[in-house]
Amino acid sequence: MAAIAGFLLAGMLSRVAGPLAQDWFEYNTEWGRGVARRKREKEVEKARDDLNNKRVLSQEEHERRLKDLRLQFEYKKQESERQILLAQADWNQKHFIQHCWPLRNPFEVPLGLEPVYEEHSERIKSCRLKTVLLPNQEEIVPLRVISALKENEHPHASTVNSEMSMFLVNHYSSNGRHAVLSDIGAWKSDVPVNDASINYLFKGLQGQPVMVIAPEYTIGGTFVRIKIWSWGLGEKLNYPVGFDFGWLDLEALYQRALAREIRSMGQTLKKVNARSMSPEMKQDLEILSLMEHNRNLLSKTDAENLLSLLSTPEEVNFAVKKKTFQVAAQMYECIVAMYADGYHLLEYGTMPLLPELLPEKKDIRFMLPALRDYYLTLINTALIKGLVTSVQAAEFGISLARSIQALDPKPETIAPVSGNVRELLFDMSGSVDKQIINELRNQNKALWI
């Protein structure tokens, strides 16, 4: 059957990790090679050799890079506070907030900064970013996530925002190591979601690390494109950067969920010898039986056309709606987590969290190739930059492989990850204790099939 979703990883990778990540993505992942083929011919072998030469770094070099990262953070933090102060001085705050600001009043929803006033007046002298102090005394700035999905935008909007909020509270706490400050639900109901509103938002929050999810529903709400806007900590930009993350065909998703639930209900009714069922249920079971008996004769288009004939029997109406809403919510959760993981890894050297949570996301198997290639690119970029060690990268690859295997055990799905780990272990053979390498191999033999 035709795909129900598509994801464009290059935009997010370029935002969170820079050109180096895009190079690795284009040369070392299946999706990336498809992107690269549509671009002008590049000197692939030379670029790959350059990347491989940078992969193996000593522990001392790794520690030096982390120190450099902390210095960069302090500089970005100071630059961020300078930009915020200029923004506060530049705009007519009362008029701007009343007529332009797309979120609820920032005095009700904190802007993420603390003003510093002059001692003998009420004038703002400077400002301090609100930061999180971790148990190891490391200071970080949370990523601010703003959802432009309003409650009245789509029937599943309320569920998506609620589930996404719960996901962030449970796993990306605003006071934790993967800190995310959630502004889900802050978008004013009477303010349109368009480029002008994003520009106003940028004007008020420039300097802080911000991610804005701005979905666009088309074709009567049956198709959604996911647009993301972002700007980084202390990043010097004149305007916000937007990119297209991907799309989801909600109609196709609904039809497939409907077919699964009808089959399941049909099997249940058959077990208990139920004689009573709605006419719609009988008709749908006949259509699905016809498709099953003729599946070798049907093209993908034929199958989609037959699925479109299914009605929604009252026996499965609630279950189908619940399933489609759940899939949409999990997709949004993964998008936020992907960006947050990239931000925390590249800014502070914090290992990504979402791969550990993937076994819980059983409804988004269609995202696995995108998630796999994104995190492979992310961890190898961090390795090249010296933000993680080869051992950390190999351990992360093994964890990623296990999570993917829990959802999709097919060898071709896991092969790129296991291949990357084998390459890392080979590169480590001359610089890392062989006992560590042997332990990694012996504990994870099942992944090398």
Side-chain angles (χ1 to χ4, degrees):
M1 294 183 185
I4 63 171
F7 304 100
L8 309 172
L9 300 182
M12 184 178 287
L13 285 168
S14 179
R15 285 299 298 141
V16 301
L20 185 60
Q22 197 159 350
D23 285 344
W24 199 96
F25 172 67
E26 290 176 1
Y27 298 140
N28 293 278
T29 68
E30 182 179 348
W31 283 25
R33 285 191 289 272
V35 173
R37 280 195 297 270
R38 292 188 291 269
K39 295 183 178 181
R40 62 187 176 85
E41 188 174 359
K42 297 180 180 180
E43 298 179 89
V44 179
E45 293 302 325
K46 181 178 181 303
R48 184 176 295 153
D49 289 342
D50 290 342
L51 290 175
N52 288 336
N53 289 337
K54 297 175 183 177
R55 293 180 68 156
V56 183
L57 296 169
S58 65
Q59 182 65 28
E60 292 79 8
E61 179 69 7
H62 168 60
E63 292 175 357
R64 187 184 70 79
R65 294 288 179 90
L66 287 181
K67 288 180 181 178
D68 289 344
L69 200 64
R70 296 307 304 167
L71 292 175
Q72 291 174 23
F73 166 73
E74 291 299 330
Y75 170 77
K76 288 180 178 180
K77 181 168 171 286
Q78 293 173 10
E79 177 62 23
S80 172
E81 293 169 344
R82 187 189 70 82
Q83 290 179 13
I84 295 168
L85 183 61
L86 290 175
Q88 291 285 332
D90 183 55
W91 56 339
N92 184 324
Q93 194 174 52
K94 182 177 180 180
H95 177 83
F96 184 90
I97 291 171
Q98 184 177 356
H99 298 287
C100 303
W101 188 249
L103 306 185
R104 288 183 297 170
N105 192 322
F107 297 106
E108 299 170 4
V109 181
L111 278 173
L113 58 91
E114 298 173 353
V116 178
Y117 296 93
E118 291 181 348
E119 187 174 352
H120 302 295
S121 73
E122 295 183 357
R123 296 181 59 185
I124 295 178
K125 179 177 66 174
S126 62
C127 65
R128 288 188 297 268
L129 274 174
K130 291 182 179 179
T131 59
V132 174
L133 189 64
L134 301 179
N136 63 359
Q137 301 305 304
E138 181 181 356
E139 188 181 25
I140 65 173
V141 175
L143 172 69
R144 193 182 192 99
V145 171
I146 298 170
S147 171
L149 177 59
K150 294 185 285 186
E151 299 288 305
N152 59 356
E153 183 73 18
H154 191 275
H156 71 208
S158 177
T159 300
V160 166
N161 282 336
S162 176
E163 292 296 321
M164 189 160 47
S165 174
M166 188 64 67
F167 173 77
L168 293 177
V169 167
N170 289 335
H171 302 294
Y172 289 81
S173 165
S174 55
N175 294 301
R177 190 160 187 80
H178 298 86
V180 168
L181 180 62
S182 171
D183 266 332
I184 295 171
W187 201 281
K188 292 179 180 176
S189 59
D190 59 343
V191 174
V193 179
N194 53 30
D195 295 356
S197 295
I198 298 296
N199 288 333
Y200 293 140
L201 200 60
F202 173 72
K203 186 176 177 67
L205 292 175
Q206 185 178 6
Q208 300 180 53
V210 173
M211 172 196 187
V212 185
I213 308 176
E216 297 178 355
Y217 290 84
T218 59
I219 319 178
T222 62
F223 193 91
V224 58
R225 295 202 73 94
I226 310 295
K227 184 186 289 184
I228 294 176
W229 297 87
S230 69
W231 47 95
L233 178 66
E235 187 177 13
K236 295 181 179 179
L237 293 171
N238 293 323
Y239 305 101
V241 179
F243 58 90
D244 183 2
F245 179 80
W247 54 268
L248 180 64
D249 187 337
L250 295 168
E251 182 66 22
L253 173 65
Y254 181 88
Q255 289 173 353
R256 294 184 188 188
L258 177 59
R260 283 194 297 270
E261 293 299 329
I262 289 172
R263 289 192 187 98
S264 177
M265 179 60 73
Q267 292 170 357
T268 301
L269 294 174
K270 187 176 180 180
K271 284 180 183 178
V272 297
N273 294 318
R275 297 179 181 178
S276 175
M277 67 176 71
S278 66
E280 292 85 359
M281 188 73 179
K282 291 179 181 178
Q283 178 180 310
D284 288 350
L285 286 171
E286 289 176 3
I287 293 173
L288 292 176
S289 177
L290 184 67
M291 290 178 63
E292 180 66 24
H293 290 145
N294 296 278
R295 60 183 175 181
N296 294 329
L297 303 176
L298 298 175
S299 66
K300 290 182 178 180
T301 303
D302 293 334
E304 294 293 337
N305 289 337
L306 287 173
L307 282 179
S308 68
L309 297 177
L310 296 176
S311 57
T312 305
E314 58 184 44
E315 291 96 329
V316 299
N317 181 38
F318 176 77
V320 175
K321 186 181 293 186
K322 179 181 178 182
K323 177 62 68 174
T324 52
F325 284 15
Q326 186 174 324
V327 172
Q330 289 192 6
M331 184 188 73
Y332 278 93
E333 291 168 6
C334 287
I335 293 171
V336 172
M338 288 166 72
Y339 194 95
D341 281 346
Y343 166 73
H344 283 286
L345 176 62
L346 276 302
E347 287 289 347
Y348 312 111
T350 304
M351 298 301 288
L353 178 60
L354 180 61
E356 298 177 17
L357 309 175
L358 277 183
E360 303 171 10
K361 309 292 181 187
K362 300 183 185 301
D363 296 312
I364 47 89
R365 288 183 174 88
F366 60 88
M367 286 189 73
L368 284 182
L371 289 164
R372 176 197 64 201
D373 289 355
Y374 176 80
Y375 279 100
L376 276 179
T377 304
L378 203 59
I379 199 67
N380 279 279
T381 301
L383 178 60
I384 291 166
K385 289 185 174 184
L387 307 182
V388 300
T389 65
S390 296
V391 173
Q392 286 176 312
E395 289 176 338
F396 173 81
I398 291 168
S399 175
L400 177 63
R402 284 175 174 166
S403 295
I404 292 175
Q405 194 176 48
L407 295 179
D408 185 355
K410 292 195 294 291
E412 59 268 25
T413 306
I414 199 176
V417 187
S418 56
N420 185 70
V421 174
R422 282 198 300 271
E423 187 177 346
L424 286 170
L425 294 176
F426 178 79
D427 290 343
M428 290 158 50
S429 59
S431 58
V432 176
D433 190 332
K434 289 185 178 180
Q435 183 178 352
I436 296 176
I437 297 174
N438 291 333
E439 286 178 1
L440 289 173
R441 283 179 171 149
N442 292 333
Q443 291 171 7
N444 300 282
K445 286 181 179 178
L447 301 179
W448 317 135
I449 298 174

